[in-house]
Amino acid sequence: MGTNVDAIVLGLGINGLAVVRSLGEKGLIVGGIYNNVSEEPGVFSKYLSNKKYFNKENSALDLFRVCTDLIGETRDKVVIICTTDLFSELVAANSDIYNDRFILTTPDKNLYWKFLKKQPTAKICMDNKLQIPETIFVEEGGDLLDKCKNLSFPAIIKPDITYEETFPSKVIVANTMDEIKQFLMDYPKLESKVVIQEIIPSGDGKLFIVSTYSDCTGTVRAIYTGKKVRSYLPDFGVTSYGISCSCEDLKLTATNFLNKIKYSGFADLEFAYDEVKNEYFFIELNIRTSYLNQLYKDSGVDLNYVGYLASKGLPYDHLSIKQKDDVRWCDFTRDLGSCYWKIKEGKVKFVDCVVDIFRARSFAYFNINDLRPFMVSIKYFLVSKMKRLAGA
């Protein structure tokens, strides 16, 4: 049984590791819950006081039981910080059962679901005048094709729910109206289960991150902005190399939106910059902490600690939070893959990638005061590569 736990981090991957370090360095007692040791280096952090395994196939009630087992006899309410979609959805959807012993950092139960599906996300953005790419959908079948008659191409067809089992792939790119028509002919039952959206010319270097923490009154208390320099897979996957850069326009846009809808807890927003229109377009919002957590802290914006203090009603000097720009963060193993593909396609030079990596001062795994997660991550990386070579 764990005792005297101050906070529980749900998910101990790169995101969760940064949260554990952030809170642990402040002297807080941190517990963690994981579901795959080989993908969650936070399990090995010296700042993690206790940990429990959770099978991702189990129920929300099972997760609650694991959390209560982890805190043992702790009397004060324990802060829960979610770092994966799996955990944030399980917790937010079942927030009522946590009220007696925990403090949640996910949005209100009546609000969170609007960011899990693309149709309600588009609606809440339109209602609050947050600029998004041209987005078309119907809640009942019959006239989706007609609504697309003025759509700009290329366009992307996405399932309303990310993991819609009947959708043929993650997304489908349509270059003409005929291709949309063919999709609807092939999958007529999906007409009301998709959104069709204009593609904003963006990709690596034109994708911006805004991460925030809002208190229980729905007021943004801390905010970070930065840019994805490289992703793996390139232009598509998670960030492998990021840089902090203040963007006051995005800070104002995100703050106004989140305050208006009375959002509470952590939020991770992504925007695409259209160079031709010289405008930012909102792409998505995740109801959890961000993959780039360590970069925020190393840039002077420790969202995790602010979130902990604010959720507990403890004082903090928000006026002293100043973002430092041009701090560079690197997930070394993934960035190797991103650089490889970009060099192969002639998009970057080898020497530029090397220079970038040596300029990084913030890292996904490496921390001189907490080396074991880094060493374990290298071990698992090498083992996975050896298995691939053996199976080739």
Side-chain angles (χ1 to χ4, degrees):
M1 287 276 194
T3 57
N4 301 319
V5 176
D6 295 307
I8 294 178
V9 180
L10 300 187
L12 296 171
I14 289 174
N15 184 347
L17 172 60
V19 180
V20 170
R21 285 171 170 169
S22 170
L23 302 183
E25 287 172 359
K26 297 294 185 181
L28 298 174
I29 300 174
V30 185
I33 294 175
Y34 67 97
N35 55 53
N36 189 331
V37 170
S38 65
E39 296 177 1
E40 300 183 60
V43 169
F44 304 98
S45 174
K46 75 175 187 179
Y47 297 108
L48 190 69
S49 298
N50 200 356
K51 57 183 178 288
K52 294 287 182 181
Y53 170 77
F54 174 74
N55 187 328
K56 62 182 180 180
E57 303 299 327
N58 287 353
S59 69
L61 185 58
D62 291 324
L63 176 59
F64 171 75
R65 289 168 176 158
V66 174
C67 288
T68 54
D69 186 41
L70 184 62
I71 67 172
E73 302 302 320
T74 303
R75 294 184 178 181
D76 292 338
K77 283 191 174 183
V78 175
V79 175
I80 288 180
I81 298 179
C82 300
T83 69
T84 72
D85 292 334
L86 166 70
F87 284 125
S88 58
E89 291 173 23
L90 280 176
V91 169
N94 301 276
S95 57
D96 294 347
I97 65 177
Y98 290 88
N99 290 339
D100 291 340
R101 301 198 66 186
F102 300 95
I103 299 172
L104 303 184
T105 54
T106 48
D108 180 82
K109 186 176 182 179
N110 296 320
L111 182 61
Y112 93 94
W113 68 270
K114 294 184 179 181
F115 296 103
L116 297 183
K117 293 184 177 182
K118 296 177 179 63
Q119 290 185 7
T121 297
K123 281 184 178 179
I124 197 171
C125 291
M126 293 172 185
D127 290 345
N128 291 278
K129 296 179 171 56
L130 181 63
Q131 184 165 248
I132 62 174
E134 184 179 1
T135 303
I136 298 168
F137 60 89
V138 295
E139 295 178 84
E140 296 180 2
D143 61 351
L144 182 59
L145 191 63
D146 185 59
K147 283 192 171 187
C148 292
K149 61 186 177 182
N150 295 318
L151 182 67
S152 300
F153 289 95
I156 191 167
I157 306 173
K158 304 176 181 179
D160 185 30
I161 302 174
T162 301
Y163 301 107
E164 171 62 56
E165 293 181 357
T166 59
F167 198 81
S169 63
K170 185 172 183 180
V171 295
I172 293 174
V173 175
N175 293 294
T176 66
M177 184 67 77
D178 285 341
E179 291 182 12
I180 293 179
K181 184 177 181 180
Q182 187 62 53
F183 171 82
L184 294 175
M185 290 175 62
D186 292 341
Y187 306 98
K189 292 184 179 180
L190 290 180
E191 183 174 6
S192 61
K193 296 181 179 181
V194 300
V195 297
I196 300 179
Q197 196 170 65
E198 170 194 9
I199 292 178
I200 301 299
S202 55
D204 289 352
K206 300 174 188 175
L207 292 173
F208 290 77
I209 300 298
V210 181
S211 285
T212 63
Y213 182 81
S214 300
D215 64 20
C216 61
T217 70
T219 303
V220 172
R221 291 303 182 189
I223 187 167
Y224 161 93
T225 56
K227 179 166 62 175
K228 287 186 175 183
V229 176
R230 285 190 294 274
S231 302
Y232 187 77
L233 298 168
D235 302 318
F236 180 77
V238 297
T239 308
S240 63
Y241 195 94
I243 182 170
S244 62
C245 55
S246 296
C247 182
E248 298 308 318
D249 287 344
L250 283 183
K251 286 182 181 180
L252 182 61
T253 296
T255 298
N256 287 343
F257 173 67
L258 293 173
N259 287 351
K260 192 171 182 179
I261 66 175
K262 295 298 180 183
Y263 187 97
S264 61
F266 291 101
D268 181 49
L269 302 87
E270 184 171 308
F271 291 81
Y273 176 64
D274 187 327
E275 287 183 322
V276 175
K277 297 179 180 179
N278 190 28
E279 292 179 320
Y280 294 97
F281 290 83
F282 171 78
I283 302 299
E284 66 176 354
L285 182 153
N286 294 305
I287 60 167
R288 52 168 171 73
T289 57
S290 168
Y291 193 75
L292 289 170
N293 251 321
Q294 190 63 46
L295 175 58
Y296 308 160
K297 180 176 182 294
D298 293 337
S299 302
V301 185
D302 193 348
L303 285 174
N304 302 305
Y305 190 51
V306 169
Y308 174 82
L309 293 175
S311 65
K312 293 282 286 186
L314 299 172
Y316 62 95
D317 183 8
H318 68 278
L319 296 177
S320 68
I321 301 173
K322 304 294 182 183
Q323 179 173 319
K324 181 180 178 182
D325 288 344
D326 202 35
V327 179
R328 296 162 183 267
W329 174 95
C330 183
D331 176 355
F332 182 70
T333 53
R334 282 190 174 89
D335 203 43
L336 283 178
S338 180
C339 288
Y340 170 78
W341 285 108
K342 285 184 174 290
I343 292 169
K344 186 177 179 180
E345 294 173 359
K347 293 182 178 180
V348 297
K349 296 179 180 178
F350 173 78
V351 66
D352 293 331
C353 289
V354 173
V355 170
D356 271 349
I357 291 172
F358 274 95
R359 292 180 70 186
R361 294 295 180 269
S362 181
F363 304 97
Y365 302 107
F366 181 76
N367 182 312
I368 194 65
N369 296 313
D370 187 29
L371 281 174
R372 196 175 176 207
F374 171 70
M375 301 302 294
V376 171
S377 72
I378 294 297
K379 169 190 169 184
Y380 282 121
F381 173 73
L382 294 175
V383 168
S384 67
K385 293 300 179 185
M386 290 174 66
K387 286 182 177 178
R388 287 186 184 182
L389 287 174

